[in-house]
């Protein structure tokens, strides 16, 4: 089958929401191959059209393929008086990435009618954010990269826009921003008045209950009172009722098993139509909270299902769970962000109203996110003695000691004792070695490993570590419970009970801990090598690379 022409590729990318991610990579590679030979000029030709979709496609392509070698060409394009002002402004983010002097104020002097262009650009921006959460996220990521004074100016413009779509941008800025930005956002919502009231009233109520900043709460309470007075009678009650009702039916809730760093992927999808879903993927780490949040919009059901399958193929085994469990996990993660003063991703702030509505709907069903702790009893000992068998399960393949730096000295001690097999032809040393000598060397290797593990038990495993992994085991056990794997649940319960500092069972008598350290020490060099090559490609290692014999 012949490759599509550059014109055909550009036409397809103008409808890229329907393009598979792998196919998208193929199209971008095709453009990259022909970049200098004409593809770049055809992409710039898209910007000469008076079509927002063509402009968006051009910027998407340039953001992926343009390099500093293209900077001069793009600057010449911006200074061309025949190019529309909107096209020039659309290029600003790409120029900024390329460190061009024309990215900001320098671009304005090449506009034919700066004031009209700005108004048109602002109108297009509000149109974008009125369509979906992805549009809001794209704009806010750009806004949050601005210097503080420009950010405040943008917030002020939103308040003066008299456009109800501005609320979509203002509400997320009430969360995890500096005091000055939040204060300015409250003022902007109040300036919008009755246009903002239906969404601003629940958002300001949330700010009052979640913030510990007395000045912000005082400012929010005053604005809330004035907005309530401006709104039509019954608006506050209706707004709170609307905020408690999800805008879309929930389609699916999924989670992954917990990996070796305590991380877990949470996936939620809502039905937009009979054929499409919208949703979020959250990355939850149990020492941080929500570390990242990715949005999807107007995704075909078949594509969502394929995404789920591909994640499992890549080692992120995931499965459907009760929505109440998923929502409880998200609430727990967000609370951890607040306790640790870790900022929540801006995408989470955008989706929070919908998540809050779901939590309100499922509040009577919210469930535990981990197995109930149980005290250690002598009758659990036979199960505890099988604790090392957990590492034969793929769900525990990535469980290694963290942080890597602390276990490195023990890795060095063990690997320093290893005598590697003689390679024929490499010299006379070791020739004629008997099978008995070889067996003795293997025995020595096992003894060396046991000795290093004993030292690591003493130096690395304290009560804080035991409590952390006891908790992780119970969280992992809850997932096995959902999966109906009762035999593994019983094993995990027993191992967690023994691991708790109050169990009284010495660590030396717990195969789970010994196997944990043994695997971490033996596989450590390969783990370090993979992280050095490409941390993004780190995959769970096989369970036993160098088994002592």
């Amino acid at each position: 089958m012949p490759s599509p022409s550059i014109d055909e590729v550009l036409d397809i990318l103008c409808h890229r929401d329907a393009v598979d991610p792998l196919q998208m990579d193929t199209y971008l590679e095709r453009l990259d191959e022909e970049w200098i030979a004409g593809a770049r000029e055809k992409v710039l030709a898209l910007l000469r059209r008076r079509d927002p979709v063509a402009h968006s496609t051009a910027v998407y392509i340039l953001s992926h393929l343009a390099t500093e070698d293209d900077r001069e060409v793009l600057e010449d394009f911006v200074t061309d008086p025949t190019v529309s002002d909107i096209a020039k402004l659309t290029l600003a983010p790409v120029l900024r990435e390329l460190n061009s002097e024309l990215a900001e104020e320098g671009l304005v002097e090449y506009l034919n009618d700066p004031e009209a262009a700005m108004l048109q650009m602002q109108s297009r921006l509000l149109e974008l954010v009125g369509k979906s959460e992805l549009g809001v996220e794209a704009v806010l990521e750009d806004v949050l990269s601005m210097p503080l004074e420009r950010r405040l100016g943008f917030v002020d413009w939103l308040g003066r826009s008299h456009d109800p779509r501005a609320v979509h941008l203002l509400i997320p800025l009430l969360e995890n921003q500096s005091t000055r930005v939040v204060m300015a956002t409250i003022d902007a919502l109040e300036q919008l008045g009755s246009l903002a009231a239906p969404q601003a009233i629940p958002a300001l109520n949330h700010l009052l209950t979640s913030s510990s900043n007395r000045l912000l709460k005082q400012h929010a309470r005053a604005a809330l009172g004035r907005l309530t007075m401006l709104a039509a009678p019954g608006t506050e009650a209706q707004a709170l009722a609307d905020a408690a009702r999800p805008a879309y039916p929930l389609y699916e809730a999924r989670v992954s098993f917990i990996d070796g760093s305590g991380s877990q992927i949470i996936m939620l999808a809502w039905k937009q139509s009979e054929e499409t879903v919208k949703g979020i993927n959250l990355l939850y780490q149990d020492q941080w909270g929500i570390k990242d949040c990715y949005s999807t919009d107007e995704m075909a059901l078949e594509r969502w299902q394929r995404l789920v399958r591909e994640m499992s193929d890549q080692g992120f085994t995931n499965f459907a769970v009760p929505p109440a469990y998923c929502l409880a996990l998200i609430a727990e993660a967000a609370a951890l962000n607040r306790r640790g003063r870790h900022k929540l991703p801006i995408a989470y702030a955008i989706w929070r109203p919908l998540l809050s509505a779901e939590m309100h709907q499922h509040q009577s069903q919210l469930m535990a996110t981990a197995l109930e702790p149980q005290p250690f009893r002598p009758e659990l000992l036979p199960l505890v003695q099988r604790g090392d068998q957990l590492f034969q399960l793929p769900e525990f393949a990535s469980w290694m000691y963290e942080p890597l730096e602390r276990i490195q000295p023990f890795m060095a001690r063990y690997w320093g004792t290893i005598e590697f097999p003689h390679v024929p032809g490499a010299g006379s040393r070791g020739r004629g070695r008997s099978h008995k000598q070889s067996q003795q060397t293997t025995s020595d290797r096992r003894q060396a490993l046991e000795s290093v593990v004993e030292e690591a038990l003493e130096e690395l495993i304290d009560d804080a570590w035991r409590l952390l992994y006891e908790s992780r085991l119970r969280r992992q056990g809850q997932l096995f419970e959902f999966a109906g794997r009762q035999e593994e649940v019983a094993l995990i319960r027993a191992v967690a009970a023994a691991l708790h500092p109050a169990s009284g069972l010495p660590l030396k008598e717990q195969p789970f801990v010994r196997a944990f350290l043994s695997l971490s020490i033996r596989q450590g060099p390969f783990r370090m090598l993979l992280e050095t090559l490409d941390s993004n490609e780190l995959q769970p290692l096989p369970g036993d690379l160098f088994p002592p014999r």
Side-chain angles (χ1 to χ4, degrees):
M1 182 176 178
S3 299
S5 68
I6 296 302
D7 289 330
E8 289 171 331
V9 169
L10 294 178
D11 185 59
I12 292 168
L13 293 188
C14 283
H15 306 88
R16 63 185 180 280
D17 288 343
V19 179
D20 180 272
L22 292 176
Q23 190 62 50
M24 180 70 76
D25 290 341
T26 302
Y27 290 140
L28 289 174
E29 288 173 9
R30 176 86 175 89
L31 292 172
D32 196 32
E33 290 169 2
E34 302 287 335
W35 192 243
I36 303 300
R40 181 176 61 191
E41 289 307 313
K42 288 180 180 290
V43 170
L44 291 178
L46 292 177
L47 287 167
R48 291 185 177 274
R49 300 184 194 173
R50 297 188 179 276
D51 177 4
V53 172
H55 291 182
S56 171
T57 302
V59 170
Y60 175 83
I61 295 168
L62 289 165
S63 65
H64 282 80
L65 301 183
T67 67
E68 291 195 0
D69 293 335
D70 302 303
R71 183 169 57 199
E72 186 175 344
V73 173
L74 295 179
E75 288 176 342
D76 288 344
F77 184 86
V78 166
T79 59
D80 184 344
T82 66
V83 174
S84 72
D85 288 350
I86 287 297
K88 294 177 181 180
L89 288 171
T90 303
L91 265 182
V94 178
L95 292 169
R96 189 183 307 122
E97 286 295 315
L98 298 178
N99 299 312
S100 169
E101 295 178 358
L102 300 185
E104 305 294 347
E105 286 75 9
L107 189 150
V108 176
E109 66 179 278
Y110 294 102
L111 299 179
N112 298 315
D113 188 344
E115 187 174 350
M118 291 297 182
L119 289 173
Q120 192 176 349
M121 197 69 183
Q122 289 164 355
S123 175
R124 183 180 292 184
L125 179 149
L126 290 174
E127 183 180 345
L128 175 66
V129 303
K131 289 181 177 178
S132 72
E133 289 84 359
L134 278 177
V136 177
E137 185 178 344
V139 173
L140 285 182
E141 284 181 352
D142 198 39
V143 170
L144 295 178
S145 69
M146 296 176 180
L148 178 59
E149 294 304 320
R150 285 193 60 201
R151 209 179 318 160
L152 292 172
F154 180 79
V155 170
D156 178 63
W157 168 76
L158 289 173
R160 291 184 287 104
S161 70
H162 302 295
D163 192 313
R165 295 172 297 185
V167 180
H168 296 300
L169 291 168
L170 290 169
I171 297 297
L173 292 175
L174 291 173
E175 303 183 40
N176 292 297
Q177 302 303 315
S178 67
T179 299
R180 286 186 67 188
V181 171
V182 178
M183 294 281 276
T185 302
I186 294 171
D187 291 339
L189 287 169
E190 187 176 350
Q191 197 168 5
L192 287 171
S194 58
L195 295 174
Q199 291 162 286
I201 288 172
L204 291 172
N205 272 304
H206 174 75
L207 178 63
L208 290 172
T209 58
S210 61
S211 175
S212 58
N213 186 315
R214 186 176 300 176
L215 181 62
L216 281 183
K217 292 177 78 166
Q218 182 180 356
H219 199 56
R221 193 174 288 110
L224 181 59
R226 288 190 286 268
L227 278 172
T228 304
M229 291 176 63
L230 283 172
T235 296
E236 181 176 13
Q238 186 61 48
L240 295 174
D242 289 343
R245 186 168 52 249
Y248 301 92
L250 189 61
Y251 170 68
E252 190 171 40
R254 305 185 71 89
V255 297
S256 71
F257 282 94
I258 298 159
D259 73 7
S261 64
S263 297
Q264 188 174 16
I265 295 173
I266 306 168
M267 306 170 69
L268 282 167
W270 288 267
K271 228 12 181 350
Q272 276 180 295
S273 69
E274 287 304 311
E275 296 82 24
T276 61
V277 294
K278 64 191 302 177
I280 50 169
N281 295 345
L282 299 163
L283 177 63
Y284 169 26
Q285 202 280 328
D286 63 8
Q287 299 295 288
W288 177 284
I290 298 171
K291 292 200 77 171
D292 221 331
C293 179
Y294 304 94
S295 306
T296 60
D297 188 41
E298 293 187 354
M299 179 180 281
L301 276 173
E302 188 275 331
R303 185 173 167 191
W304 167 266
Q305 292 158 358
R306 188 167 68 251
L307 172 66
V308 168
R309 290 195 302 271
E310 289 171 352
M311 287 182 64
S312 293
D313 293 342
Q314 293 167 11
F316 298 101
T317 306
N318 62 86
F319 57 99
V321 294
Y325 165 78
C326 215
L327 294 165
L329 200 61
I330 293 171
E332 176 186 284
L336 193 57
N337 282 84
R338 288 191 289 273
R339 286 200 300 273
R341 298 185 181 278
H342 300 138
K343 278 193 172 185
L344 284 156
I346 191 65
Y348 175 82
I350 294 166
W351 287 86
R352 186 198 57 73
L354 183 53
L355 289 170
S356 296
E358 288 291 352
M359 289 175 187
H360 186 270
Q361 289 284 95
H362 291 84
Q363 61 185 345
S364 62
Q365 308 163 21
L366 290 183
M367 48 194 5
T369 59
L371 297 174
E372 284 293 319
Q374 65 174 355
F376 176 74
R377 305 184 305 277
E379 54 265 33
L380 294 176
L381 195 56
L383 280 173
V384 173
Q385 293 303 316
R386 292 170 43 210
D388 57 336
Q389 295 177 11
L390 288 177
F391 294 101
Q392 297 173 16
L393 303 175
E395 294 82 7
F396 284 89
S398 67
W399 282 44
M400 297 280 176
Y401 188 89
E402 299 280 355
L404 185 61
E405 308 83 65
R406 289 202 64 201
I407 201 168
Q408 279 179 342
F410 301 94
M411 288 159 41
R413 287 178 214 173
Y414 169 64
W415 285 97
T417 67
I418 300 299
E419 291 184 19
F420 292 97
H422 169 70
V423 179
S428 60
R429 184 180 177 185
R431 287 182 182 175
R433 184 183 250 170
S434 70
H435 177 71
K436 183 176 179 181
Q437 288 174 311
S438 176
Q439 289 295 319
Q440 182 64 45
T441 301
T442 302
S443 174
D444 290 346
R445 184 185 299 176
R446 183 185 298 110
Q447 290 177 8
L449 179 60
E450 289 298 319
S451 175
V452 174
V453 167
E454 292 284 342
E455 295 173 9
L457 276 173
E458 292 292 328
E459 294 188 37
L460 298 181
I461 309 300
D462 55 17
D463 284 356
W465 189 94
R466 294 178 70 168
L467 288 170
L468 173 62
Y469 277 86
E470 185 267 347
S471 171
R472 283 182 182 171
L473 281 166
R474 288 190 293 106
R475 286 177 55 214
Q476 191 85 303
Q478 182 69 70
L479 298 174
F480 279 88
E481 181 88 64
F482 286 134
R485 297 165 63 176
Q486 295 304 321
E487 186 176 341
E488 287 95 339
V489 171
L491 180 57
I492 291 171
R493 280 186 187 276
V495 171
L499 191 58
H500 195 284
S503 71
L505 187 67
L507 287 172
K508 294 180 180 181
E509 299 175 22
Q510 299 191 36
F512 171 81
V513 185
R514 299 185 72 91
F516 189 100
L517 292 173
S518 176
L519 286 166
S520 299
I521 289 167
R522 281 187 286 141
Q523 297 187 2
F526 302 94
R527 180 178 167 206
M528 291 168 62
L529 176 63
L530 287 172
E531 289 185 353
T532 301
L533 290 173
D534 187 348
S535 60
N536 292 324
E537 294 182 4
L538 181 60
Q539 298 292 330
L541 293 168
D544 206 2
L545 288 177
F546 290 91
R549 299 183 183 277

